[in-house]
Amino acid sequence: KFRNHLFMNYQIESMLHLGSRAFEEISGEVVQSTTFILKNKITNRLGTYYRLVNQSGNEKEKCFLDGKNIFQSVNQAYYSKIPGSPIAYWASQRYKEIFSDSLLISEIAEPRQGMATTDNKLFLRFWSEVDLRKMGLGIESREDAKTSGYKWFPYNKGGTYRKWFGNFEYVVNYQNDGYELRKVVQEKYRHTSYAKDFSKEKWDKLIDVWVLKNKQFYFLEGVTYSFVSSSQFCVRYSPPGCVFDVGGSTIFPNDSNLFYYLGLLSSKLADAFLQFLNPTMNFQVTDVGKIPVIKTGVKLFSSQIDDICKNSIKISKTDWDSRETSWDFETNPLIKNSNTTINNSLIEWISQASKDFFQLHQNEEELNKIFIDIYGLQGELTPDVPLTEITILQDELDFKKLKKAQKNVAKLREEGLEKFIKKDVVIQQLLSYAIGCFMGRYRLDKPGLHIAHPNPTEEEIKAYKIKTPLHIGKKEVKFEIDEDGIIPMLGSYGRFSDDIVIRIKHFIEMVWGEETLTENINFIQKCLDQDLEDYLVNDFWSYHCKVYKKRPIYWLFSSENGYFQVLVYMHRMNKFTVQKIRNNYLIKHLQFLRSEIAELEKRSASLSKSEAKWLDELRSAEIECREYDKLMKDYADKQIEIDLDDGVKVNYAKFKGIVAEI
């Protein structure tokens, strides 16, 4: 309204559009600025504009003084041709024609905001925190969700810049059609002067408007995007089964062309249109709904675009599911490609990942080309996509190195991505999977999650048989899931047969064979750039916390300086877990320390310098473990139980003082 008033009564004489980083003192993308001169009397409506949004403070000044990026004789009457009348002075005549002659997305596939829980801490969890048996995956309607009895359902919440598929991290408590959520909201607000006299019918109606917005679209297939982004606009396919919120706003087409709209919104054109409609970090549903759609393009190109989009979704889903943070994760890619050595397995995986990466790059450029032709924007946009904007392999690729080398895409496509892969990250993922196998979360002879719920049965825990080495021999051996889900992390400081270092070496031997064990251990250490034991004992926990975003599923029970530490699988904990740690590991470790100390003290007069240093270390360890044992006894006597529905943060705090800080 203000813009329309402005254009009717004033003339923009000139405008210096500075965007973000206009001054050296202001960093980041949030603060954006413009400076302008308005003329009280309208004469010819023509103004001069300087577009200086892509430079830093000093560069902006230089471009202005050099007379660069000037748009002269811009008629502000044309702004009304774009929905919302934005001051899109840089829009060409062709863009104005497109907005004038096309349908809007909102007319055929209206973007929707979703649920606002009013208390995310209470109602949201990372999916890995909860009992898998209470999760409803693949539910296709609210009615099915209500009758299913499930408590937790996938929740689109936006997330990081990622295209095509992914960012499925959260679940929401929507049991019984949101019964508990409704109850909490009513209790929270019923005493306010505004709401104290509401009837049940009034409450239900208002909650549907305030909280459970657009619930008729819950669990339906759609196109979701992140409401807030410091990068470009990007969308992802949302399969049936998801609830969505404001941060993960979703588009639901009212025709059968979902993949066409997904392709359009994934192309360069969507970002170009949004730059006119709302060039900020927030992509409002009203702005996304104003993106123009040329219907002839739907008729002529929908089949071709559908094929490209479906292939892109498949590639991105394969990438998303290759990590254990996906609920559809099956096995580590190096296990799937297990060869004679881990190095060979890695080379094989890199080869396939490279093919997927460059195929996705080709898909995105082909989509851009098609839509540029449909919209007649050949002189405005190019189909080129920088390799650094391809959003698979986000953890594994060194995008800084790739950026420097991306000028010759054809050569990179031929050579593959091996020299850009962060091998330490790939190896960390492998070791994490191996630990998951010990814990019983996964099993080598069966894809996907195994134990992801409390109180597993004896059948689930008992040993099973696999053929190993997986692709080399046919010998059947037993691979035992840890009996109690407790793994010592002591390395050279302990003498437990199930210590994490011993178990990892056994795992590598099982998968790749005894003959190459030493070679494989050396390769792992080279990739990690550190000793295997040092990584497992000292650094794995930090890696695990980072991957699970400070909501670890393996908990580290540790004395103050780590002289005693064990890793425990949260989903297998019960009120006796602390007692088991104390009886089966801590007391035995203390006995070992005292025995070693006594043995060294017997010959104290003849100890070498290294032995004397070791004795001092053992004495420090014994004192620390003795004090830790007192704490553990107190906690063991309490017999604390956890409730997975409460999430990691609440449950982990119950053991404050005997677990490591997250």
Side-chain angles (χ1 to χ4, degrees):
K1 288 181 179 179
F2 172 72
R3 285 196 292 270
N4 285 329
H5 170 78
L6 185 73
F7 303 149
M8 290 295 294
N9 298 284
Y10 303 92
Q11 178 176 330
I12 300 176
E13 184 77 4
S14 65
M15 177 176 285
L16 188 63
H17 186 186
L18 298 169
S20 60
R21 305 178 190 276
F23 306 95
E24 296 298 328
E25 296 82 3
I26 302 177
S27 61
E29 300 295 321
V30 176
V31 179
Q32 302 202 29
S33 58
T34 183
T35 181
F36 51 89
I37 299 171
L38 297 181
K39 192 173 183 179
N40 279 325
K41 186 178 179 182
I42 295 178
T43 53
N44 57 6
R45 296 181 182 269
L46 301 180
T48 300
Y49 297 77
Y50 298 81
R51 184 167 174 78
L52 306 173
V53 297
N54 297 318
Q55 300 84 8
S56 62
N58 291 333
E59 291 171 339
K60 292 178 193 291
E61 181 180 12
K62 188 174 188 305
C63 283
F64 172 70
L65 295 174
D66 290 346
K68 294 182 178 179
N69 299 342
I70 301 178
F71 293 79
Q72 294 178 315
S73 300
V74 177
N75 191 337
Q76 67 188 40
Y78 286 110
Y79 296 152
S80 61
K81 295 186 179 296
I82 299 177
S85 301
I87 303 175
Y89 58 86
W90 69 97
S92 68
Q93 182 61 33
R94 178 55 193 154
Y95 277 113
K96 293 167 189 170
E97 291 169 358
I98 291 169
F99 279 110
S100 296
D101 301 337
S102 306
L103 290 171
L104 304 183
I105 278 278
S106 59
E107 297 178 68
I108 43 182
E110 187 173 352
R112 304 278 180 168
Q113 287 188 342
M115 184 187 295
T117 68
T118 75
D119 191 342
N120 282 352
K121 289 182 180 179
L122 183 61
F123 291 105
L124 296 190
R125 299 285 179 268
F126 286 119
W127 75 266
S128 51
E129 297 181 78
V130 304
D131 181 347
L132 189 68
R133 295 176 301 188
K134 292 184 178 182
M135 273 178 61
L137 298 175
I139 303 292
E140 296 192 8
S141 71
R142 280 176 54 230
E143 292 72 22
D144 289 347
K146 185 175 182 178
T147 58
S148 69
Y150 291 122
K151 180 172 184 176
W152 302 99
F153 298 90
Y155 192 63
N156 280 333
K157 196 172 163 29
T160 57
Y161 180 74
R162 182 181 174 90
K163 297 176 73 171
W164 301 111
F165 190 91
N167 287 0
F168 296 110
E169 300 176 317
Y170 288 92
V171 288
V172 63
N173 176 1
Y174 194 65
Q175 191 171 28
N176 194 19
D177 207 30
Y179 172 79
E180 187 178 344
L181 198 151
R182 289 176 177 275
K183 185 178 176 183
V184 167
V185 171
Q186 288 189 33
E187 182 63 30
K188 186 184 293 186
Y189 295 107
R190 70 187 179 91
H191 296 298
T192 62
S193 59
Y194 176 66
K196 63 181 181 180
D197 297 324
F198 282 2
S199 64
K200 182 182 183 301
E201 291 74 20
K202 180 79 168 177
W203 266 115
D204 286 342
K205 185 176 180 180
L206 284 172
I207 286 174
D208 286 346
V209 174
W210 292 345
V211 181
L212 305 180
K213 289 180 285 189
N214 292 307
K215 65 180 182 180
Q216 68 271 29
F217 293 98
Y218 293 177
F219 303 104
L220 301 184
E221 181 184 43
V223 177
T224 187
Y225 65 91
S226 300
F227 172 74
V228 179
S229 176
S230 59
S231 303
Q232 294 168 295
F233 179 71
C234 74
V235 297
R236 292 172 293 280
Y237 171 66
S238 180
C242 296
V243 182
F244 59 103
D245 80 349
V246 176
S249 298
T250 306
I251 299 164
F252 300 94
N254 53 24
D255 59 24
S256 59
N257 298 304
L258 181 147
F259 294 105
Y260 180 90
Y261 305 129
L262 173 66
L264 170 61
L265 295 172
S266 296
S267 73
K268 271 188 172 183
L269 279 72
D271 202 58
F273 291 135
L274 284 169
Q275 284 298 310
F276 299 130
L277 296 166
N278 185 6
T280 71
M281 295 169 63
N282 296 334
F283 298 115
Q284 306 279 358
V285 292
T286 52
D287 298 316
V288 176
K290 293 171 185 173
I291 292 175
V293 178
I294 295 177
K295 289 296 286 183
T296 54
V298 180
K299 293 177 183 177
L300 297 174
F301 295 96
S302 60
S303 177
Q304 183 182 359
I305 288 169
D306 281 9
D307 290 343
I308 295 172
C309 288
K310 288 175 182 178
N311 181 251
S312 299
I313 293 167
K314 180 182 177 182
I315 290 171
S316 189
K317 186 177 190 305
T318 298
D319 173 74
W320 180 258
D321 293 341
S322 70
R323 300 174 193 88
E324 61 182 75
T325 44
S326 165
W327 54 62
D328 284 329
F329 172 80
E330 292 189 347
T331 189
N332 180 270
L334 300 191
I335 302 294
K336 193 179 290 186
N337 295 318
S338 58
N339 210 306
T340 52
T341 65
I342 295 176
N343 187 22
N344 288 340
S345 300
L346 179 61
I347 290 170
E348 190 174 336
W349 170 75
I350 291 173
S351 175
Q352 182 57 52
S354 298
K355 290 176 184 176
D356 288 345
F357 183 87
F358 287 108
Q359 181 61 57
L360 188 56
H361 180 255
Q362 182 178 316
N363 288 355
E364 293 194 11
E365 292 198 330
E366 181 63 21
L367 272 179
N368 285 338
K369 185 177 184 302
I370 293 170
F371 280 109
I372 287 170
D373 289 345
I374 291 172
Y375 283 77
L377 288 169
Q378 292 88 345
E380 307 278 347
L381 297 171
T382 67
D384 302 339
V385 176
L387 293 178
T388 50
E389 291 182 9
I390 303 302
T391 58
I392 63 170
L393 301 173
Q394 288 180 322
D395 296 329
E396 298 84 0
L397 265 182
D398 187 332
F399 282 95
K400 287 183 179 179
K401 285 176 66 176
L402 186 62
K403 185 176 182 179
K404 295 177 182 177
Q406 67 177 355
K407 290 181 181 178
N408 193 339
V409 174
K411 183 180 179 183
L412 288 175
R413 186 188 297 273
E414 185 180 334
E415 294 178 350
L417 297 171
E418 183 174 4
K419 59 186 176 184
F420 305 103
I421 291 290
K422 298 176 182 176
K423 294 183 180 179
D424 58 332
V425 172
V426 181
I427 294 300
Q428 287 169 339
Q429 292 170 349
L430 171 65
L431 296 175
S432 179
Y433 172 74
I435 291 167
C437 289
F438 312 149
M439 293 296 193
R441 186 168 178 82
Y442 317 110
R443 47 189 289 179
L444 277 167
D445 66 336
K446 180 182 176 183
L449 289 161
H450 178 50
I451 298 173
H453 53 266
N455 306 312
T457 64
E458 289 186 16
E459 178 68 24
E460 288 173 316
I461 295 172
K462 74 177 186 178
Y464 55 90
K465 291 183 177 182
I466 62 171
K467 292 178 180 180
T468 185
L470 294 183
H471 285 245
I472 304 169
K474 300 294 182 182
K475 178 184 176 185
E476 286 191 340
V477 299
K478 284 187 176 181
F479 178 81
E480 295 184 356
I481 293 174
D482 196 84
E483 185 179 357
D484 50 20
I486 302 168
I487 297 179
M489 295 180 69
L490 296 165
S492 302
Y493 282 91
R495 292 296 182 270
F496 293 105
S497 59
D498 60 343
D499 185 86
I500 191 168
V501 179
I502 295 172
R503 274 193 167 276
I504 285 290
K505 290 180 179 178
H506 176 55
F507 180 90
I508 294 166
E509 182 180 335
M510 285 181 59
V511 177
W512 283 278
E514 183 180 2
E515 301 81 4
T516 57
L517 177 61
T518 301
E519 181 181 348
N520 284 324
I521 296 293
N522 289 339
F523 179 74
I524 286 174
Q525 293 180 151
K526 181 181 179 182
C527 291
L528 294 173
D529 195 26
Q530 69 182 123
D531 181 75
L532 177 60
E533 177 178 320
D534 182 51
Y535 170 75
L536 293 171
V537 173
N538 298 318
D539 294 333
F540 172 74
W541 165 250
S542 296
Y543 165 81
H544 180 69
C545 288
K546 180 181 176 182
V547 167
Y548 283 85
K549 299 188 174 180
K550 298 186 179 182
R551 298 293 185 269
I553 56 172
Y554 309 139
W555 293 2
L556 185 62
F557 284 78
S558 174
S559 60
E560 184 177 2
N561 295 304
Y563 282 118
F564 175 82
Q565 54 182 23
V566 295
L567 205 61
V568 181
Y569 184 18
M570 174 184 76
H571 287 66
R572 294 182 60 187
M573 288 178 63
N574 56 41
K575 62 183 179 180
F576 304 114
T577 296
V578 176
Q579 186 65 49
K580 287 179 181 177
I581 295 171
R582 183 170 181 262
N583 290 345
N584 298 345
Y585 297 99
L586 179 54
I587 290 174
K588 291 180 180 179
H589 186 56
L590 268 167
Q591 291 170 349
F592 159 71
L593 292 173
R594 287 163 182 163
S595 173
E596 288 286 295
I597 290 168
E599 182 64 32
L600 288 170
E601 286 180 340
K602 282 181 186 178
R603 48 190 186 87
S604 58
S606 60
L607 293 179
S608 65
K609 283 186 178 181
S610 60
E611 288 175 324
K613 185 178 179 181
W614 177 236
L615 178 58
D616 289 340
E617 190 85 7
L618 290 171
R619 285 169 175 162
S620 297
E622 194 275 336
I623 293 169
E624 180 172 300
C625 291
R626 193 179 346 126
E627 292 300 313
Y628 187 63
D629 184 52
K630 293 176 185 176
L631 292 173
M632 291 293 282
K633 185 180 185 307
D634 290 341
Y635 274 87
D637 291 343
K638 294 175 185 176
Q639 294 192 342
I640 298 170
E641 294 198 69
I642 67 172
D643 184 346
L644 293 178
D645 284 342
D646 292 335
V648 169
K649 193 170 184 178
V650 170
N651 286 311
Y652 200 77
K654 295 176 181 178
F655 300 91
K656 185 177 175 62
I658 58 172
V659 289
E661 290 288 331
I662 295 178

